[in-house]
Amino acid sequence: MSLSVSSPGLLTLTPIFTPTPPSSLSISKTHSIKITVSSSLSSSTHQDTSNSSPQQLNNNNPTNNDSNKTVTVVKFTYNRASPSIRWPNSKLTDMYPSTDTLLPQNDVFAKKTRTLDTPDETHKGEEQQEDEEETREIVRNRGSKLKVKRMNKLALKKEMNWRERVKFLTDRILSLKCDEFVGHVLEEHRVLFTPTDFCFVVKSVGQSSWQRALELYECLTMQQWYATNARMVATILSVLGKANQEGIAVEIFAKAESVIADTVQVYNAMMGVYARNGNFEKVNEMFNLMRERGCEPDIVSFNTLINAKVKSCATVSGLAIELLDEVGKFGLRPDIITYNTLISACSRESNLKEAIGVFSHMESNRCQPDLWTYNAMISVYGRCGFALKAEHLFEKLKSNGFSPDAVTYNSLLYAFSKEGNTEKVRDISEEMVKMGFGKDEMTYNTIIHMYGKHGRHDEALRLYRDMKSSGRNPDAVTYTVLIDLLGKASKIEEASKVMSEMLDAGVKPTLHTYSALICAYAKVGRRVEAEETFNRMRESGIKADHLAYSVMLDFFLRFNEIKKAAALYQEMIEAGFTPDTGLYEVMLPALVRENMGDVIERVVQDTKELGSMNPHDISSVLVKGGCYDHGAKMLKVAISNGYELDREIFLSIMSSYSSSARYSEACELVEFFREHAPDDIQMITEALIIILCKAGKLDAALEEYRSRGGLGTFRSCTMYESLIHECTKSEQFDIASQLFSDMRFNGVEPSECLYQSMVSVYCRIGFPETAQHLLYHAEKNDIILDNVTVHIIDIIETYGKLKMWQSAESIVENLRQRCSKMDRKVWNALIHAYAFSGCYERARAIFNTMMREGPSPTVESVNGLLQALIVDGRLSELYVVIQELQDMDLKISKSSILLMLEAFAQAGNLFEVQKVYNGMKAAGYFPTMHLYRLMIGLLCRFKRVRDVRVMLSEMGEAGFKPDLQIFNSVLKLYSSIEEFQNMGVIYQMIQDAGLAPDEETYNTLITMYCRDHRPEEGLSLMHKMKSLGLEPKRDTYRSMIAAFSKQQLYDQAEELFEELRSNGYKLDRSFYHLMMKMYRTSGDHQKAENLLEIMKEAGIEPNTATMHLLMVSYGKSGQPEEADRILKNLRTMGAVLDTLPYSSVIDAYLKKGDAKAGIEKLTEMKEAAIEPDHRIWTCFIRAASLSGEVNDANNLLNALQAVGFDLPIRLLGEKSESLVSEVDQCLGRLEHVEDNAAFNFVNALVDLLWAFELRATASWVFQLAIKRSIYRHDIFRVAQKDWGADFRKLSAGSALVGLTLWLDHMQDASLQGYPESPKSVVLITGTAEYNMVSLDSTLKAFLWEMGSPFLPCKTRHGVLVAKAHSLRMWLKDSSFCLDLELKDSPNLPKLNSMQLINGCFIRRGLVPAFNEITEKLKVVSPKKFSRLALLPDDKRSKVMQADVDGRKEKLEKLKKSDPRLLRKIKKIRKKKFIREAMLYQGNAIGIQRTFKPIAANQSIESNRNDNE
């Protein structure tokens, strides 16, 4: 309040209102609410209005005059405008009886509407007195008491008459009807008024109707008796300014320039018109015009200029002090209005620092603050959150003698409401009522907003009802606040009800009211109601602002109403509003999804043309909205215009291009940025690496990483993540580990995802310690990993696989100390860690802990327990543990049974496997495909052909089809038992099933062809295998080379060997040894020696075994001298020799028949301090067994005796019973020696004993070998329905001993009738040779000489089969079987009883007959051989000649009778003999039904034709 003097002798009290910020609420002279619709609101649709005060909901910025519209809604009397009510303690009722208080005439400040966010700010008078002659201020002292200057009675009477005249004319004009004119009133009362009176009348009328005031002014200017003066112009300009009639005011000012002269009040009034709308440029222009015309501005001029300035822009730091300095430059002193204007502006902007600066300036210039000053300062403190300082200023205000008014209390109340201090708000409200003010609308609105902001909606509604019941009428702000807070609480029904009550009360909703309700509907997803509310708002005449458009646009986008959103967007643009960045980011992805390319183009064009964003910001919005192509174009424009390359935008575009495989465009963009943004080359390189990674080009990405950067170069976490992810994906864990190390060295902090990936990587590569350290580092840096328990389990399992169960145990112990309850998976992981090391007891302890403390064990726990037993090799305890678990009511799952079954299968325990399998089926567990694979694989390994076929049949009945793994197992089975025909059937089944044979299939088939002596077909299959991109195994090549070698196809074998070498295969020593054996067989010893050089070039040094092979090669070719030469070379080179090379040379001499040289080499070896061992013994014993005379044998054995081994010579000369223990001890020493020492020794020794008719001794040596497992225990068997023998690998003498013992056992069974025989009895001889002896030929000659029923098998070579009935009859009736007991001859025969002829070790007496039969008849049946062998020599010759003649005669008859029949017979025989020739192996005799050995590639048919 300020004091002013109106006229001489008259004192008046005039309230001066502090200018307030622009708002939607203003107090006019008739005290009606003014609603100002502003187009400049919040810039973001998505701003949460929870932080807005109730005043801010209707706040506007009146910088644009064209966008404002004032609408009078409803009459509202704000009684606090009356001084008598505002200061009830001042007793001003008598002086101001009416609440329609006249505002001071000197207010030239533009009328400002009351802001809703400053309920505590006071209204300043904005008018400055137009007439300086009428003094006006009422001076108030510190004690708020009025000191009235005394006036004489005449002056007082005149003043009272003046007021009566003005009031009379004012009432008369305002009472005029619409069709009545002011001119008639002037004609009636022109004599009674002075020019000054008319000024007061214009002003008084203008307070109620600016139109009547303008009419009065124009009527006066038209009267001849009235002369317009400057005061009248200033008055009418003030009225028009308050009415916002700037255009009319400008016109009047222009017309009245002639009477203005240098009257400062007129210029002040015109400046006030402009200042009301914040048009600082016009105000400043008028200020300069005034000075140009010589009119000096006064303090009112500066106050008006300052008011316009602070309205037009924010009070930035230093502006207020700068404005005060400008006032001082003109020699003027700022008054209270100047300071209050600036402080109010600071309060409006919440600029506390600037407000404090102005207040300090005010005090330093000794300008005493008034009540309005304190109110403004309390307001700014409250706005800025300093409620306690506001309260302190409130107390200071009272201590300085001022009485707080309603605005003061509301300002203080707002300060504490903003903090949510409900108790303090309640105390202030009670004090306010106690001081006689009561709660007004502003008070209620503030408290309601406080309750709503803190979620106390019920209390807000209760206060709203109290407000209405107390007689206060809720205004638009009240309703808006309620709707807003209820909408945010999703109480949409209550919000709708409040809107209805607002309409019923006649209060028109404002823009913000509608916006609050629309937001409420949007929050709960009620699209229809939100759209209806928006349309109703526009129908009511309220234009949507930026916020309303943004809310509805966002709403349409959220509900995928893209077409409506596009239409509303176009309307928004046409209305002059631009969506903010966030809204574009929501809208663009929706348009992309709907493929609305034309709308996207229009949006992009709008962002360019409207100019609200620069190219860099536009590119950011486009990229975030998914428009990467447009974003890339705008980013290029931005870079070309000098903007820096934004990392996130660039990487997002690169990521989009790479994910859509647009690598060429990405590379083009990279090259552009490399050229235009050289400072960002590192980031561009990182982006290129990311693109290459996403394209799956890991090698190129790693090359770029290594070539472009180094340690300390790259800083992109995304780049490292991409590289590591691709390395992990391709299982290049070592590179991933190195990249992670580089990343840590460069100081790049890994992301949460990368921590998890690297923990997994380190576990995969077997570095659990590093993985554990990484988890510790993440925890130390407060990085929370998802599913950290999973990573701990991985680490525990890795420790277990590495058998570091102590570390796993330590992790669990630490985890147990930190966690009250352990995860079951952690316990299971620890049990499995123990299981890998076979720590059953420790695993069982954890299992018991789980049973005792929880969580209860699961199937995984049980399986871990069983696995611990299995690893520890305690398979026998599995059943015990299973029983214990079942006693604990734990169900044994199918996986546990499978685990047991696999364990028994790996151990080769077929009986237990079948037992578990049958029990599993009995328990109702149906076999799975995995189980069938396991079972069939095991049965195939044990060669259980019948069981395999049953299993395959059962599998088909269960609906399973064999897969390639099962077929491969069956193929291996048939290959091992040499059922090659069935292998072809299986291969056909693979093709019929549509399965593609793999490497294992082809390798097995090729091996089959090799074993079946068909290497050419195997080679063809190998070529086919290679054409499919499959690579044969080295073992397959080895089998092929061996097969070609056996077939004497040496060229093909050499080609395969050279192919292996040329293809870069790393060949081991065995391949070279194989080739040496082949060259040895072919007699090409030079190539064998050349192979030594090839071995050395390949980095393989020939060892003793290699030289042994070469020497054996020479020895077998009958060149022991060459073998001896090699031995001498070894000695010359200083090689460390053992018995192996000596045995090769000695054996070569002995086989050639040079016993003397062999004995000399033995002596030489002895002199070289090389102790003869089993190899030397075997060579001499074998040579003695083939000696023709006993003296030769004794000579060789004596040589052994001379070097310290006399056992063989003693066996020939002494009683055998006394030597049993010595032989047993010798075998005991040899059975553990490698190289089959005991086996070879027994074979040679038994051959020697058999040859010199010590067959009983040979028998017990044979049985000693069986006892010591040198020979198999089932070498022959006579069991229930299982009679058979397998003499493969035995020497001829051992096989004959075994055969005689077997026949003896079968004879006893035939005579006793038990054990029963099968239908057929099988004798397996094999087709291989042993020391130049064919076991197959030897046994055939022995059996067929005796007339046995054994015949060659038609399907398999090396197998003899006899029908059981014929065999039993022969054993019972044949004279050869009368005495099968093996006996020693009383005296050693002078000659060897056996003779080796054509690989057949036969009785010496049978040799002439054997030679004659095989020479003349070529092919002979077993029966015929037996019959012919028993005939005398002369009779045998005649019978054979008669047989030959009979054949010729038969052929002649056939030629004469039917030539076609003859050709047919020849064709059949030709096929038969060709087949026999192809099946010929070495020196074997008795191919099928013939003894005649067939030379390779020689046709028997040609010989047959010769005979014919």
Side-chain angles (χ1 to χ4, degrees), residues 581 585 607-608 613-624 630-650 653 673 683:
T581 302
E585 292 175 2
T607 58
K608 297 178 183 178
M613 293 185 288
N614 57 51
H616 182 273
D617 294 338
I618 295 174
S619 66
S620 176
V621 170
L622 291 171
V623 168
K624 291 179 180 178
H630 294 93
K633 293 178 182 178
M634 290 307 300
L635 186 58
K636 286 184 178 180
V637 174
I639 298 302
S640 301
N641 291 341
Y643 289 92
E644 292 184 1
L645 182 61
D646 186 278
R647 180 187 191 88
E648 295 300 326
I649 298 175
F650 174 70
I653 296 173
F673 290 133
M683 181 181 68

Side-chain angles (χ1 to χ4, degrees), residues 383 411 1073:
R383 280 170 169 269
S411 299
H1073 290 178

Side-chain angles (χ1 to χ4, degrees), residues 1145-1395:
V1145 176
I1146 292 173
D1147 190 58
Y1149 278 120
L1150 294 179
K1151 285 181 178 178
K1152 190 178 180 181
D1154 192 349
K1156 181 180 179 181
I1159 294 172
E1160 289 177 356
K1161 298 306 294 183
L1162 178 62
T1163 305
E1164 178 184 322
M1165 183 180 68
K1166 186 68 175 178
E1167 292 174 354
I1170 300 175
E1171 192 68 28
D1173 62 359
H1174 63 90
R1175 296 189 184 96
I1176 305 300
W1177 303 340
T1178 304
C1179 289
F1180 275 88
I1181 295 173
R1182 186 184 301 120
S1185 67
L1186 297 176
S1187 300
E1189 297 180 1
V1190 69
N1191 292 332
D1192 296 335
N1194 287 333
N1195 187 28
L1196 292 172
L1197 297 179
N1198 287 330
L1200 283 181
Q1201 185 180 22
V1203 295
F1205 187 65
D1206 61 351
L1207 184 60
I1209 192 64
R1210 291 172 61 198
L1211 283 173
L1212 289 182
E1214 300 179 11
K1215 295 294 183 179
S1216 59
E1217 290 83 355
S1218 61
L1219 298 174
V1220 173
S1221 61
E1222 292 187 33
V1223 174
D1224 189 34
Q1225 292 174 6
C1226 181
L1227 295 181
R1229 290 193 300 269
L1230 294 178
E1231 64 180 339
H1232 299 298
V1233 179
E1234 60 182 7
D1235 201 19
N1236 293 325
F1239 186 84
N1240 294 330
F1241 178 77
V1242 170
N1243 275 345
L1245 188 59
V1246 174
D1247 281 352
L1248 175 66
L1249 297 174
W1250 183 273
F1252 290 98
E1253 298 185 2
L1254 296 176
R1255 293 173 182 175
T1257 306
S1259 174
W1260 59 255
V1261 172
F1262 182 88
Q1263 295 178 47
L1264 278 177
I1266 293 176
K1267 176 183 176 183
R1268 286 196 168 272
S1269 298
I1270 298 172
Y1271 290 163
R1272 299 188 314 275
H1273 289 277
D1274 60 346
I1275 198 166
F1276 64 82
R1277 58 197 177 279
V1278 181
Q1280 182 69 19
K1281 293 187 177 181
D1282 184 16
W1283 295 7
D1286 185 356
F1287 296 140
R1288 286 177 296 182
K1289 295 187 179 182
L1290 297 183
S1291 65
S1294 295
L1296 292 172
V1297 170
L1299 177 62
T1300 306
L1301 294 174
W1302 183 45
L1303 293 175
D1304 185 47
H1305 283 72
M1306 289 191 294
Q1307 186 184 53
D1308 294 341
S1310 300
L1311 295 173
Q1312 297 172 7
Y1314 182 83
E1316 295 182 15
S1317 65
K1319 292 182 179 180
S1320 299
V1321 179
V1322 177
L1323 168 60
I1324 301 176
T1325 62
T1327 58
E1329 292 183 359
Y1330 182 79
N1331 287 318
M1332 302 183 298
V1333 177
S1334 171
L1335 189 62
D1336 183 62
S1337 298
T1338 300
L1339 295 182
K1340 283 180 181 178
F1342 182 81
L1343 289 171
W1344 291 347
E1345 181 188 7
M1346 299 170 64
S1348 75
F1350 280 99
L1351 298 174
C1353 179
K1354 295 181 180 180
T1355 57
R1356 293 178 60 190
H1357 301 287
V1359 177
L1360 301 177
V1361 182
K1363 293 182 179 180
H1365 175 73
S1366 299
L1367 180 61
R1368 290 195 303 270
M1369 294 298 102
W1370 174 72
L1371 289 171
K1372 293 177 183 179
D1373 301 335
S1374 174
S1375 59
F1376 291 98
C1377 299
L1378 293 178
D1379 186 8
L1380 294 175
E1381 183 181 358
L1382 294 174
K1383 300 176 182 179
D1384 287 344
S1385 175
N1387 297 310
L1388 285 178
K1390 292 183 180 181
L1391 298 176
N1392 194 332
S1393 65
M1394 306 296 289
Q1395 186 175 346

Side-chain angles (χ1 to χ4, degrees), residues 1124-1147:
D1124 195 7
R1125 177 181 60 81
I1126 295 175
L1127 177 61
K1128 291 177 180 178
N1129 291 338
L1130 288 174
R1131 293 177 59 187
T1132 305
M1133 291 186 296
V1136 179
L1137 302 178
D1138 57 3
T1139 59
L1140 182 62
Y1142 278 101
S1143 65
S1144 303
V1145 176
I1146 292 173
D1147 190 58

Side-chain angles (χ1 to χ4, degrees), residues 413-424:
L413 185 138
Y414 172 76
F416 283 104
S417 70
K418 188 174 180 180
E419 294 183 350
N421 194 337
T422 56
E423 295 182 1
K424 199 68 179 176

Side-chain angles (χ1 to χ4, degrees), residues 310-324:
V310 297
K311 277 186 177 181
S312 64
C313 64
T315 55
V316 295
S317 178
L319 177 62
I321 303 300
E322 181 182 346
L323 292 174
L324 291 174

Side-chain angles (χ1 to χ4, degrees), residues 502-536:
M502 181 180 185
L503 296 174
D504 295 341
V507 180
K508 185 176 181 180
T510 64
L511 174 63
H512 290 82
T513 309
Y514 282 113
S515 297
L517 188 59
I518 291 171
C519 290
Y521 283 130
K523 185 176 182 181
V524 296
R526 296 173 68 168
R527 180 183 60 80
V528 177
E529 290 83 350
E531 191 173 358
E532 290 177 352
T533 304
F534 181 75
N535 294 333
R536 189 163 59 247

